[in-house]
Amino acid sequence: MEDEVDRLVAAWRRERPDLDVEPLEVLSRVSRLARHLDRARRLAFAEHSLEPWEFDVLTSLRRAGPPYQLSPGQLLTQTLVTSGTMTNRIDRLAQRGLVERLPDPSDRRGVLVRLTVVGQERADQSLAGLLAQERAILGELSARQRSDLAGLLRQLTAPFDNVPG
């Protein structure tokens, strides 16, 4: 079965035989898959009236376990955004009733961000929708192929995820 990347690679091999275009065979497919995944994610989140960034914050809180709360600093670490961006996101989610701010009992000046019941329901529903979309994307692969692919992708991404700072 031929795909668009096969056609792209063949064209570059014809036009630039002096270059080794082999990396395109993997990374162009990863890039194209990322675009398809982004569309699927947006669709799954839109069905639950969420933006991707809202899903990221809500599910960070949900994964924290009861009482589903984190400090803004912990949310920064998990979502990789700036402090100002996180403050704005917390404000917007609080206005929608998806999170609430509470005083941090261990730091009189600090706050904790807690998932509301509505926020938890929205996180759970949108995660189920996302997983259905992702299962469809992976539907052509066997369980063994999915496991092998996950291992290979882990090998590529781990060095980026384990960089200090």
Side-chain angles (χ1 to χ4, degrees):
M1 172 184 345
E2 186 177 72
D3 68 0
E4 187 59 31
V5 174
D6 289 321
R7 291 183 281 279
L8 175 141
V9 167
W12 278 123
R13 284 189 172 133
R14 182 188 68 242
E15 295 299 316
R16 292 295 310 268
D18 57 311
L19 294 178
D20 176 13
V21 296
E22 185 265 339
L24 295 175
E25 294 191 67
V26 173
L27 299 177
S28 290
R29 286 186 174 96
V30 169
S31 177
R32 292 175 66 80
L33 182 59
R35 282 181 262 162
H36 291 294
L37 179 58
D38 185 56
R39 279 191 214 121
R41 290 173 60 94
R42 289 182 181 280
L43 176 63
F45 303 152
E47 289 176 2
H48 301 285
S49 302
L50 291 178
E51 293 293 326
W53 67 265
E54 292 172 311
F55 175 84
D56 290 343
V57 174
L58 296 178
T59 55
S60 292
L61 292 166
R62 181 66 170 96
R63 286 191 313 269
Y68 308 112
Q69 65 188 28
L70 295 170
S71 71
Q74 290 169 311
L75 284 169
L76 287 174
T77 300
Q78 291 195 20
T79 59
L80 302 174
V81 298
T82 65
S83 176
T85 298
M86 183 53 66
T87 298
N88 181 282
R89 289 179 176 187
I90 293 167
D91 289 344
R92 292 172 63 186
L93 289 167
Q95 289 170 357
R96 294 187 59 198
L98 301 174
V99 302
E100 58 185 347
R101 281 189 175 89
L102 303 168
D104 185 342
S106 64
D107 178 0
R108 290 184 354 175
R109 295 176 297 165
V111 298
L112 293 172
V113 180
R114 181 181 292 168
L115 199 56
T116 64
V117 171
V118 173
Q120 182 179 339
E121 290 170 357
R122 194 76 57 87
D124 288 349
Q125 292 166 353
S126 59
L127 177 62
L130 172 62
L131 291 172
Q133 292 284 336
E134 290 182 351
R135 267 189 215 89
I137 288 172
L138 295 171
E140 295 294 317
L141 301 178
S142 69
R144 176 66 187 187
Q145 288 171 319
R146 289 191 305 271
S147 177
D148 290 348
L149 180 58
L152 291 168
L153 291 171
R154 182 181 305 106
Q155 195 173 345
L156 285 177
T157 60
F160 294 103
D161 290 343
N162 295 309
V163 174

